Amino acid sequence: MSFSKSKEGQVLSKPLIGANPIMVQTLGVCSALAVTVQLKPAIVMSLCLTVVLTMSNVIMACIRNFIPGKIRIITYMLVISTLVALADQILKAYVYDISKTLSVFVGLIITNCIVMGRAEAFAMTNTPKMALLDGLGNGAGYSIVLLAVAFFRELFGSGKLLGTKVVPQALYDMGYVDNGLLMLAPGAFFIIGILIWVSNSLYKGER
Amino acid sequence: MLWKVKLKGGWPVVDVNSNGYTFGFAFVACVLASLLLAGANLSLKDLQDRNVKTDKLRSVLVAAGFGTSTTPAQEVEEWFKEDIKVKVLETSTGLAAKDLSADEYDPKKHPNYTLIYECIKADQECSILPVEGKGLWGKMRGYVAVGNDNNSILGLCFYDHIETPGLGAEITEPWFMENFKDNKKILKVEGDYSEANFKGVTLLKGVKASDKPKEQQAYYVDGISGATLTCNGVTEVMTTFLYENYGKYLSNRQRGIK
């Protein structure tokens, strides 16, 4: 049995398209709107979210048998926010430049439904190893959508990619205009909607 | 006992859903988390404070065009040893405070005073003035550098803000700050520091600065789409705030009163 068919492989690969956190589970849409105006913050956010999600998943799976059912949600919050705040402190002390760009994302990560959603739906009932794979898989699934949305928004919204102009001046001279709507949150809704439509029709029978 | 203890093979079996255990778990988890965070904060505070201070001084250099966001900390310190002097300014008179030194200055205790910087290096004389304004989410703090003619803007650099990344937070991006290095002026007629003559720099919405008549371009820069409120805050800083806090100072400086 190949890795991709094994249970581990499934846990890792399913969230990429088939059970994508944004497109199928519709979690984490808030941050997909907020940080996708440009590619750079989207990349940073994707990395942060993947790290936090994986760590929280593993910790939750390790202590899953000790968490009282009545206060499990608040326990997720405690673990996630402690992790994020701790990381923020360390960044501020040792790599201040990076922390200046990251600090604004901290609040967004704590409130990101994917982290809590995966803790509740997966980590609480699985081993730490599987939770690790699930965290990585969902982090990657989230990143794919975020990067795709940011790519289209930056390209058609401001004619740039990663801050560099890519739409040639000649095109502007011919009357081409950047689409200002894509710079605003509704623009992201359209793109996410189109992505969901495309993925639904491509992978119809597979769920 | 808070919860019933049954023994199984010598180990206590605990009912994780009992009230007692729930309270106990919550208490222990909270204490552990707070200890962890408090410990991290205490042990890293010195390093963090130093970083914040250096970053603030670095933004003074960036505003004046002497450095970039990657200027190393050591080079930043060098500038403040000889070339850039700190000065306590009484904003109402625009004169240096007589009985208050920079070390004693505390923004909470001395609301009528502010700390400004003056570069005294030959051919690079300028004043670098702290500014603050209201953004969309909170205060924006930064520095504006005004050239030796006390009229032209050398640059604007924000070091502390909580604006939206990708929208309002663009105010700290090079492309935006570059706008203020392009020969911008604050006075309609040179030498007259009255309120009517004080124009400042306005951020535009919907029009480009380059579409304005040539003689007007010195007073306008392009705004940021999707960040109207942040831009309004920056305009406020570059017009009213500048006039109210530093109009007198610039006027004095122009007339040679130091």
Side-chain angles (χ1 to χ4, degrees), chain B residues 24-53:
Chain B
F25 180 88
F27 183 76
V28 172
C30 289
V31 169
L32 276 182
S34 46
L35 280 181
L36 197 65
L37 286 182
N41 185 270
L42 275 180
S43 54
L44 298 173
K45 187 124 189 55
D46 285 348
L47 273 173
Q48 292 173 354
D49 286 349
R50 204 186 316 154
N51 285 336
V52 171
K53 205 177 144 207

Side-chain angles (χ1 to χ4, degrees), chain B residues 23 52-53 88 99 103 120 130 142 147 161 175-176 190 195 218 227-228:
Chain B
F23 275 110
V52 171
K53 205 177 144 207
V88 185
D99 40 11
D103 295 331
I120 52 170
H161 70 85
W175 74 263
F176 180 75
E190 207 158 322
E195 190 170 2
T228 307

Side-chain angles (χ1 to χ4, degrees), chain B residues 89-105:
Chain B
L89 182 78
E90 189 177 9
T91 43
S92 55
T93 58
L95 295 169
K98 288 189 189 74
D99 40 11
L100 189 64
S101 76
D103 295 331
E104 291 162 355
Y105 171 76

Side-chain angles (χ1 to χ4, degrees), chain A residues 15-136:
Chain A
L16 294 186
I17 302 285
N20 188 287
I22 295 181
M23 293 192 296
V24 181
Q25 306 174 45
T26 27
L27 296 174
V29 175
C30 162
S31 58
L33 304 181
V35 301
T36 51
V37 177
Q38 293 171 345
L39 261 177
K40 207 171 127 200
I43 294 173
V44 172
M45 183 68 178
S46 299
L47 284 176
C48 291
L49 196 271
T50 308
V51 171
V52 171
L53 175 61
T54 311
M55 280 172 72
S56 104
N57 252 8
V58 171
I59 293 177
M60 227 63 82
C62 288
I63 61 169
R64 68 185 188 282
N65 292 329
F66 304 101
I67 302 176
K70 287 172 208 158
I71 56 165
R72 64 183 195 286
I73 303 276
I74 208 80
T75 310
Y76 309 154
M77 292 297 294
L78 183 75
V79 172
I80 297 162
S81 49
T82 309
L83 270 180
V84 175
L86 201 62
D88 187 46
Q89 292 279 336
I90 293 170
L91 289 177
K92 259 194 196 133
Y94 293 106
V95 272
Y96 190 76
D97 296 346
I98 298 182
S99 93
K100 261 184 100 171
T101 32
L102 285 196
S103 284
V104 283
F105 296 98
V106 170
L108 284 174
I109 296 175
I110 297 176
T111 54
N112 195 311
C113 300
I114 298 177
V115 188
M116 241 168 81
R118 293 324 291 171
E120 170 79 359
F122 196 89
M124 279 301 277
T125 48
N126 284 282
T127 59
K129 185 186 154 200
M130 297 302 267
L132 175 90
L133 293 172
D134 182 70
L136 288 174

